[in-house]
Amino acid sequence: MARGRTSGLLLLVLGIGAAAAAVGCGDDRNGAGTGDDALGTITFDLSVAPVNARCAVVTITPQGGMAIVRQIPLGPSQAPSFVLGGLPTGTATVSEQVFTVACSATTGQTPMWASDTVTVALSPAAPVSVTFNLTVVGGSSQLAVINNFPNQAPVFNAFPSLGAASVQIAPGPDGALWVTNFGTITRITTSGVQTTFPLPGGNNDFPFGIVTGPDGNLWFTNRAGTVGRITTSGQVTEFTVPGTNTEPLQITLGTDGNLWFTDIASDTIGRVTTGGLFTIFAVPTANALPEGLATGPDGNIWFTELLGNKIGRLSPSSGTITEFAVPSASAGLEGIAAGPDGNLWFVENNVNRIGRITPAGTVFEFLIPTPNANAFEITTGPDGNLWFGEATANQLGRVTTLGTISELPVPPSLAAPFFLTTGPDANLWFTAASAIGQLLFH
């Protein structure tokens, strides 16, 4: 798939290998690897090609030889792996052009992407990995994105919410999902059966974030100034956050076995033990409004600053906070999630972008195709991509770890998708304006 940066750089990773020091004949498109086609071949793994790519034109130029040009059809119905046979071994250069039209129609057309030239050594040794840097042809610094997802008709289930104003959803330790609502918390099974548990404060309580704790209970934030614990049978205990102006928002389980939360009103990050003991850490930037929160793959606590326009990293062992500014001014940083690629992914609501930050603090930004999509939250989905809700556009967005963004409209019954999570059934679950949604992957 494509990977973008503000420079317009896209990456496509290919696997290349040669079977023997001889020249085969023919072009084994099915990859059988039999007969002479097993000699002097290059195998292309195009499973990560841009989703609207329809033809890859590959040029292989052996040292001192004639250029060999091959066309590879791309698209939803084609296999992602191809073997090009009849190639001489030894040093060769390889380049690629990618078109959004069929291979039969590429004559006279300008490719959407063109790669740099890569030098490879085709030998009987083990396959080598090659990275093509695909640059948008004639593109500016604006990222090119894709919006024709998915290739197959999606299957949604909508369960009318029993709770008012459903907010966050998270998998529980009991094989069900748990949802925060205005004044209540709802348990919903993967078949859609709901049970709602009222909170002690009734309509004065506004639970927001929720996560499974290390003690087998669910832990949640209450914007009324508490952090709560609810057992899987619905018994609630709440602990008051220290301070005079508190509004805990997001919550995550740290690698230290404690619960961590953002407090948007007091500009702090809080830690609470399963016994209800608090430690509070001040965010260095004044009026930062810390909001989104996630435990990073590096074991640190990562958070977004809504007004501070920074991503924060907190060390659980020392309490030290390091902040990293994002490139876009007044980005409106919202949710953040750990990605399967070892990075953190976050939402920039005001500038309609998805951001990625490495554990070292390097930030990349990717434009959401639909203007003013109103994205808030993000999560790692069942397919290993990042998913986010577009509340105004009534769509789900998906961004690959290489930066390609695609969008999926939701049914009217699931309008205004907000929070998302991967459920215990390996499907994508999300809250919407008046229902709880399920996008089937299995």
Side-chain angles (χ1 to χ4, degrees), residues 10 30 212 329 336 411 441:
L10 302 175
N30 296 318
T212 295
I336 188 170
F441 281 76

Side-chain angles (χ1 to χ4, degrees), residues 165-236:
S166 295
V167 184
Q168 195 169 47
I169 184 168
D174 55 348
L177 295 112
W178 291 73
V179 183
T180 53
N181 315 284
F182 187 70
T184 64
I185 291 179
T186 295
R187 178 184 184 269
I188 179 170
T189 68
T190 54
S191 60
V193 178
Q194 299 179 56
T195 307
T196 296
F197 303 99
L199 294 182
N203 288 339
N204 293 321
D205 284 340
F206 188 0
F208 198 86
I210 189 166
V211 71
T212 295
D215 55 353
N217 299 308
L218 282 300
W219 285 77
F220 62 93
T221 56
N222 184 345
R223 298 183 72 169
T226 65
V227 173
R229 179 183 66 210
I230 181 170
T231 68
T232 54
S233 61
Q235 182 178 353
V236 176

Side-chain angles (χ1 to χ4, degrees), residues 3 21 28 44 130 153 182 187 292 343 346 378 381 401 433:
R3 173 186 180 185
D28 181 4
F44 289 85
V130 172
F182 187 70
R187 178 184 184 269
N343 298 311
F346 57 93
I378 190 166
T401 55

